[in-house]
Amino acid sequence: MLKKVNSFFKRIKSLFLKRKKLSIGIFFISLFVLMLTASLIYMYVRPNVSIEFNKDQNNIKYKSYSVFGGEMIVYKDDQEFKKVSLSPFSKNIDLDLTQDGIYKINIKVGNDNLNYQYEIDRTAPVITTEYPLITNQIEVPIKVTLNEEGTTQIKYTVYFFDEQNKEVGTDNAEEVFDNAFPVKTKEGKNTFSIIATDEWNNSKEESYEFITDFTKPKIELIKPTYNETYNASDTFQFKITDENGIAKVTAGENEIQGDANGVYSFKADYKDGDNMIKIVALDKANNSFEAQKGVMRKVSSSRRITQINNNTNNNNSNNNTGGTTSCNNGVSGYNIFCYLNNYRNDQGNPDLSWNSSTANYANAYAYCLETTGFSISSNPHNPTKEVNDCMTGKGFSTTKPYGGEVIAANRSSAKSYTDAFKASSTHWNIIGSSSAKNTGMASYGKWVVGYVGF
């Protein structure tokens, strides 16, 4: 009986142990299924995706730790560019990234939606420069702007005077600058180059050149070649040349045009006595040069008689006797010459003859006294360096014509200048001398200058 009881309990124990092992197995299986389900759910919700945007190799390296596939859509500048189906885990996706633009990438894997954005810039910046193509400045400002953020660098040649070798030397320079840089120049062609680099390290270099011109235009008188005339007017012609071109030419107050050969023509009316015809040429580099031509209009005897008859009551009625009514009272060297001869006649001395050569010198000297600001309280017979430089610049020697020099200033009429010379014993001893033979006189501004030959 005892044996049967023991056998029963053994069978119960064995059955219990079998059921216990089964329960443990079911538990672990259930746990595994639960963990797998949780992992799948997690990978669905959080697929753990990353990409590597490789613009140099033109591809996108896709990485995923999810068993779920998905889809990638690439947009270029907001337009759909490429659509790719994604398999689980990793994948290299070829993509043409040679074009500049904004690339947006949308990835859908499981329940996740990922967005990325990249910019591709393979284009060098556009360089815009501002500088004069021709100039007469020693230092030229170079202004530079770019169409995007970046840095600018300038290459240029430095010019300097080598004291040891007594010649112009050069050196190459490279400097980084923001948007403006001054370049020192030399006469002739000057070159420089700009290097621009943007934030993507795209670089571009461009070269430029400009002309520096310090040389004034050349003016050559073609006609008329005379210094004295009875004509009331004439056509003047000047040949004007400049290596880099003429911008503007004026005769008096009027702008004139030249022909294809650089000849400029204009008509000039003469007044009685001294006339100074002036022409100014301005080249494209802003250098200017002034040329003058002095012409003395002589009065014929028949026209002088007509003037006397027509001007019986003119403003010369207060002149001395001796035919002074035949002299015009406008300020000019020739009118003063006329009055001086009348005063000489009053003393029984013969007329002085007109010397056009010294008249031209006198005109230049009066011009230089006026334009250099020479003071009337100073002695005009002792010119300043500025006056002498002016005379040299006009092509005259600083050695004055042989004879006596007479100068007056700041009067209003030909008669008043003549009276001043008559009232000055120093001047009249020269002008009124019986030994005096000729004179040339001229007026410019407030000055009247004359030279008397013996």
Side-chain angles (χ1 to χ4, degrees), residues 221-257:
L221 174 67
I222 299 176
K223 71 173 190 176
T225 58
Y226 56 73
N227 295 321
E228 299 178 358
T229 184
Y230 286 104
N231 296 336
S233 64
D234 206 342
T235 298
F236 280 73
Q237 287 187 342
F238 289 87
K239 172 81 170 182
I240 303 178
T241 56
D242 187 90
E243 184 177 349
N244 297 304
I246 297 296
K248 182 180 180 181
V249 175
T250 55
E253 301 297 325
N254 301 316
E255 183 175 352
I256 58 176
Q257 304 298 322

Side-chain angles (χ1 to χ4, degrees), residues 4 35 39 42 73 76 85 88 113 147 154 157 199 207-208 224 243 261 266 279 371 399 419 422 429:
K4 289 182 180 182
M35 291 177 65
S39 297
Y42 181 81
I73 302 177
K76 178 180 177 296
S85 296
N113 195 337
N147 65 332
I154 188 169
T157 301
E199 293 181 324
S207 296
Y208 308 88
E243 184 177 349
N261 297 316
F266 62 94
I279 186 170
T371 57
T399 302
D419 289 344
K422 180 75 165 57
N429 285 338

Side-chain angles (χ1 to χ4, degrees), residues 39-49 64-66 68 109-112 114:
S39 297
L40 292 174
I41 293 173
Y42 181 81
M43 284 189 288
Y44 181 78
V45 176
R46 300 286 300 275
N48 194 9
V49 172
S64 173
Y65 298 95
S66 172
F68 298 99
V109 177
N111 194 47
D112 208 355
L114 305 173

Side-chain angles (χ1 to χ4, degrees), residues 194-363:
I194 300 294
I195 304 171
T197 306
D198 66 14
E199 293 181 324
W200 291 78
N201 208 35
N202 300 304
S203 184
K204 186 176 185 180
E205 180 174 354
E206 291 188 0
S207 296
Y208 308 88
E209 67 178 38
F210 61 91
I211 301 295
T212 301
D213 180 3
F214 301 124
T215 305
K216 295 179 179 180
K218 294 180 180 179
I219 303 179
E220 176 187 357
L221 174 67
I222 299 176
K223 71 173 190 176
T225 58
Y226 56 73
N227 295 321
E228 299 178 358
T229 184
Y230 286 104
N231 296 336
S233 64
D234 206 342
T235 298
F236 280 73
Q237 287 187 342
F238 289 87
K239 172 81 170 182
I240 303 178
T241 56
D242 187 90
E243 184 177 349
N244 297 304
I246 297 296
K248 182 180 180 181
V249 175
T250 55
E253 301 297 325
N254 301 316
E255 183 175 352
I256 58 176
Q257 304 298 322
D259 62 19
N261 297 316
V263 176
Y264 291 75
S265 303
F266 62 94
K267 182 181 179 182
D269 295 323
Y270 298 137
K271 65 181 182 180
D272 292 349
D274 293 329
N275 294 266
M276 185 55 59
I277 309 303
K278 182 170 66 175
I279 186 170
V280 179
L282 182 72
D283 68 17
K284 292 183 178 180
N286 209 36
N287 301 300
S288 66
F289 184 72
E290 176 182 309
Q292 296 181 344
K293 168 64 177 174
V295 175
M296 193 270 287
R297 185 190 182 195
K298 301 171 72 175
V299 182
S300 65
S301 58
S302 60
R303 194 161 65 86
R304 182 64 76 191
I305 292 172
T306 302
Q307 288 177 346
I308 294 171
N309 293 333
N310 293 337
N311 294 292
T312 303
N313 298 316
N314 69 5
N315 58 0
N316 297 313
S317 59
N318 61 341
N319 290 345
N320 290 357
T321 59
T324 55
T325 54
S326 65
C327 300
N328 191 290
N329 207 23
V331 178
S332 76
Y334 193 73
N335 287 332
I336 296 170
F337 161 74
C338 177
Y339 281 116
L340 290 173
N341 273 335
N342 284 332
Y343 284 150
R344 284 177 60 85
N345 294 158
D346 290 343
Q347 295 184 163
N349 290 329
D351 287 352
L352 298 172
S353 63
W354 181 259
N355 189 324
S356 60
S357 197
T358 56
N360 284 337
Y361 188 95
N363 180 79

Side-chain angles (χ1 to χ4, degrees), residues 276-279 289-294 360-369 371-372 387-397 444:
M276 185 55 59
I277 309 303
K278 182 170 66 175
I279 186 170
F289 184 72
E290 176 182 309
Q292 296 181 344
K293 168 64 177 174
N360 284 337
Y361 188 95
N363 180 79
Y365 196 70
Y367 170 86
C368 291
L369 289 172
T371 57
T372 60
V387 173
N388 284 332
D389 288 345
C390 174
M391 291 293 289
T392 303
K394 293 178 70 62
F396 288 92
S397 168
Y444 194 97

